[in-house]
Amino acid sequence: GQNIDQPTEMTATEGAIVQINCTYQTSGFNGLFWYQQHAGEAPTFLSYNVLDGLEEKGRFSSFLSRSKGYSYLLLKELQMKDSASYLCAVRDSNYQLIWGAGTKLIIKP
Amino acid sequence: IAGITQAPTSQILAAGRRMTLRCTQDMRHNAMYWYRQDLGLGLRLIHYSNTAGTTGKGEVPDGYSVSRANTDDFPLTLASAVPSQTSVYFCASSDSDRDEQFFGPGTRLTVL
């Protein structure tokens, strides 16, 4: 079966750095996405990785290792508004997205 | 305003009733999707459409049907609602199945 694993919940301090991990086992791989979802709102796109390595976009970076079936999302200089759920999704061989259950990130002052 | 709209925002429905959730996008995206999101689970694909006139089944299609008569609209119909269909439903669109997906605001559906 297809499986995306990420921690259920993480807590971090304002101004700090946090890394959210995602491991996957899917039928084929055509890219990995990270989305942010604030409570009661729609998911919004953060990043996309299809090749191994680090993609940086402002305070957010995303890393991919295809051989290990592993990705992480790195958030720097955390702000209170970063409190949200972070969803990892893998595009499989049918070009459909398989989603993890999401990691709820709690930021404390 | 560019984006995706969904209607209704929320709905309480008696079991056995028929219900259509509406989704409209104005980005001229070719692909559209319906997901359900349940606590503790990832988004699950119900149905999708890669282009107007075509539809496909996702991971959890039973009890749901869709149509794609034109580029902009992608309604989701529950023929006879059951309590297990209580969920938050998100419509999404993308330029193609190789691009990032943009999500509508969601419909919170409760079936009693």
Side-chain angles (χ1 to χ4, degrees):
Chain A
Q2 308 202 91
N3 197 48
I4 310 286
D5 285 319
Q6 42 180 142
T8 302
E9 186 174 296
M10 299 181 70
T11 301
T13 304
E14 190 178 14
I17 299 173
V18 71
Q19 177 175 312
I20 302 174
N21 296 326
C22 171
T23 58
Y24 62 89
Q25 290 178 305
T26 55
S27 57
F29 178 86
N30 284 297
L32 185 144
F33 294 81
W34 285 96
Y35 279 75
Q36 180 189 59
Q37 185 177 26
H38 285 101
E41 298 184 6
T44 55
F45 170 77
L46 283 179
S47 69
Y48 171 67
N49 296 71
V50 66
L51 300 176
D52 290 352
L54 189 68
E55 293 282 342
E56 297 186 80
K57 190 185 293 186
R59 293 190 298 115
F60 292 5
S61 303
S62 57
F63 171 83
L64 174 67
S65 169
R66 289 172 296 171
S67 63
K68 296 182 179 178
Y70 168 71
S71 173
Y72 67 73
L73 181 69
L74 191 72
L75 291 75
K76 303 175 185 176
E77 302 170 12
L78 286 170
Q79 301 175 10
M80 297 303 293
K81 67 179 182 180
D82 297 330
S83 292
S85 289
Y86 292 86
L87 315 181
C88 174
V90 172
R91 191 157 55 196
D92 69 9
S93 56
N94 294 318
Y95 284 86
Q96 291 185 4
L97 288 184
I98 310 300
W99 296 81
T103 298
K104 182 178 181 180
L105 178 63
I106 299 168
I107 309 296
K108 295 185 174 179
Chain B
I1 300 176
I4 303 180
T5 58
Q6 292 184 236
T9 302
S10 64
Q11 182 76 44
I12 298 174
L13 190 66
R17 298 297 296 270
R18 180 183 179 89
M19 176 74 191
T20 295
L21 307 185
R22 299 184 298 278
C23 174
T24 299
Q25 55 102 359
D26 63 2
M27 296 178 284
R28 307 302 295 173
H29 283 169
N30 290 306
M32 297 187 75
Y33 315 85
W34 273 105
Y35 292 95
R36 59 178 290 173
Q37 187 175 40
D38 302 291
L39 200 62
L41 298 177
L43 289 160
R44 291 183 291 169
L45 183 65
I46 305 171
H47 285 286
Y48 66 94
S49 168
N50 286 331
T51 188
T54 69
T55 62
K57 294 181 179 180
E59 180 186 355
V60 289
D62 293 344
Y64 306 95
S65 63
V66 291
S67 62
R68 187 88 185 277
N70 57 60
T71 297
D72 298 345
D73 301 300
F74 191 44
L76 176 75
T77 297
L78 289 69
S80 178
V82 295
S84 62
Q85 292 178 313
T86 293
S87 187
V88 179
Y89 291 86
F90 286 104
C91 179
S93 72
S94 63
D95 204 19
S96 77
D97 61 2
R98 286 153 175 75
D99 297 300
E100 71 190 74
Q101 295 180 12
F102 295 84
F103 284 79
T107 293
R108 184 173 295 275
L109 182 67
T110 302
V111 182
L112 301 176

